[in-house]
């Protein structure tokens, strides 16, 4: 026992020495500032550490007695770890693709498997459990069962409980508190850092859904506001209307009705109308547009109580977008409650659209992140989009995004690229499930197109997406 403890002590110190574990102030992907950071990617440069990781994980797995036919590492850091475990123990492995290939088999899981096979998931660090869950969903889509997962380091922020709720038991080799106590005992860390980190873990538990509005550094964690509350408290009247509709109809679903025939568009809007808070259009897809179509769409919006979002993605200089928004054939500002704009031309685009839209009570979303593979709306570009929104709160009501970009409840986050059958299409679209969009990506509204419009029973599909999206939202409230 003592020698096992020594082994783990030495292993933890080694991780600290190679800076796979760091203490300081680190901004996480979610925007939270963390006093501790794990960068287990570095271990690939230390074959002795790779060997130790693999041996420790295998021993932990063996002790659990769980049974499985293959092992799959969560891409990317856990891929080499899974490879080591499988090679050293002569065990079959599966690889999960993060993006579907747009040629060939388009499989999301590579390797040999049969329906009903059980696969063990391997991960380096678990925080909320979201990455393990995404990999599990990909495997389950291929009819592979997932009952257990092994992680090198559990940050103890609720991932274990969240995974258990999904029927996945999580085993860990070490935990963050173990790391802290070991490093303190061996005089590698002072008690201030240990206390600060412990406080951070306690204040930033996820227990399933990620609430990116949580503040870091041990400060008070703001409560997630319900749709009902946001329907009263948000500053923009249009946002209040949207949330009131969402609360009343119990839906966070926006259907993207991407049709080329106006009859199809109107029929679909009428069919899904009772189940959505928004209908999104690409009006320039219609081959038979007349102004009567948007009049009829407005009547349907009144009948079913939804808002209309024209996904125009304006992207030109101020003068041009002004005319495009209010004039031309479509006169978008006269019927669409919401439209959206790319930040690429600079803040002038927002002021110009606002000149037209604000007097009409319209709202605009900044396209801050995109769902398509290889898109350029990342990093500094996304940050600039957020700044543009924050400086124009009387007209910009939120974002088209793939993650939670703002802690301000006034901003609505709408996430496209949502489909129960995840993966992608052959033209670069990438999908996540409604649950992932809401709980992991922080979506207030899920935007679903072909998942509903391309289904054999669009009404049934709309109900299914409504249910999935709304129960994911309720989950975020409960934690
Ligand atoms: O990043 C984005 C932004 C948008 S608005 N990715 C998207 O897919 N969209 C739109 O959402 C896209 O133009 C389409 O209308 C819808 C997604 O459709 P689906 O059929 O792939 O669900």
């Amino acid at each position: 026992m003592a020698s096992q403890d020594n082994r783990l002590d030495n292993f933890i110190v080694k991780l600290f020495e190679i800076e796979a574990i760091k203490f300081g102030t680190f901004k996480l992907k979610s925007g939270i500032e963390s006093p501790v950071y794990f960068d287990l990617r570095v271990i690939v440069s230390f074959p002795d550490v790779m060997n130790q990781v693999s041996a420790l994980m295998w021993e932990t797995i063996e002790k659990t007695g769980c049974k499985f036919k293959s092992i799959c590492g969560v891409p990317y850091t856990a891929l080499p770890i899974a490879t080591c475990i499988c090679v050293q123990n002569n065990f079959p492995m599966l690889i999960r693709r993060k993006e579907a290939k747009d040629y060939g088999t388009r499989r999301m899981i590579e390797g040999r498997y049969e329906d009903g096979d059980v696969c063990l998931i391997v991960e380096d660090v678990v925080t909320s459990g979201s990455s393990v869950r995404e990999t599990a969903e990909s495997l389950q889509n291929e009819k592979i069962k997932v009952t257990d997962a092994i992680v090198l380091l559990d940050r103890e922020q609720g991932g274990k409980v969240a995974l258990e709720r999904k029927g996945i038991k999580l085993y860990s080799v070490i935990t963050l508190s173990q790391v802290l106590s070991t490093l303190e005992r061996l005089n590698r860390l002072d008690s201030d850092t240990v206390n600060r980190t412990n406080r951070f873990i306690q204040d930033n538990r996820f227990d399933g859904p990620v609430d990116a509005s949580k503040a870091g550094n041990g400060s008070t964690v703001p409560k997630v506001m319900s749709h009902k509350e946001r329907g009263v408290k948000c500053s923009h009247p249009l946002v209040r209307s949207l949330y009131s509709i969402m609360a009343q109809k119990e839906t966070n679903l926006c259907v993207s009705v991407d049709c080329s025939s106006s009859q199809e568009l109107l029929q679909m809007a009428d069919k899904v109308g009772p189940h959505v808070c928004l209908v999104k259009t690409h009006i320039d897809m219609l081959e038979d547009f007349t102004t009567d179509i948007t009049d009829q769409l407005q009547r349907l919006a009144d009948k079913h109580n939804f808002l209309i979002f024209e996904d125009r993605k304006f992207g030109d200089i101020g003068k041009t977008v002004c005319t495009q928004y209010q004039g031309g054939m479509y006169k978008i500002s006269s019927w669409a409650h919401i439209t959206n704009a790319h930040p690429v031309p600079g803040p002038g685009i927002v002021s110009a659209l606002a000149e037209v839209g604000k007097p009409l009570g319209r709202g605009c979303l900044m396209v801050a992140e995109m769902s398509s593979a290889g898109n350029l709306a990342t990093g500094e570009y996304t940050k600039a989009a957020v700044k543009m929104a924050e400086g124009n709160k009387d007209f910009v009501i939120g974002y088209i995004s793939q993650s939670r970009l703002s802690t301000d409840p006034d901003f609505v986050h709408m996430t496209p690229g949502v489909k129960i059958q995840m993966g992608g299409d052959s033209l670069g679209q990438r999908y996540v499930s409604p649950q992932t969009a809401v709980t992991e990506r922080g979506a207030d509204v899920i935007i679903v197109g072909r998942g509903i419009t391309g289904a054999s029973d669009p009404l049934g599909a709309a109900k299914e997406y409504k249910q999935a999206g709304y129960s994911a939202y309720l989950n975020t409230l409960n934690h």
Side-chain angles (χ1 to χ4, degrees), residues 306-326:
F306 60 74
L307 298 181
I308 306 170
F309 166 18
E310 164 57 18
D311 185 4
R312 173 62 179 76
K313 294 192 188 72
F314 291 102
D316 214 319
I317 59 163
K319 178 79 185 77
T320 305
V321 297
C322 239
T323 317
Q324 289 172 323
Y325 188 24
Q326 72 183 341

Side-chain angles (χ1 to χ4, degrees), residues 256 258 280 282 311 313 370-371 400 416 429 431 448-450:
S256 183
D258 299 340
K280 183 172 86 62
H282 279 295
D311 185 4
K313 294 192 188 72
M370 294 198 71
S371 59
I400 294 291
Q429 177 67 304
Y431 291 112
V448 182
R450 287 164 284 179

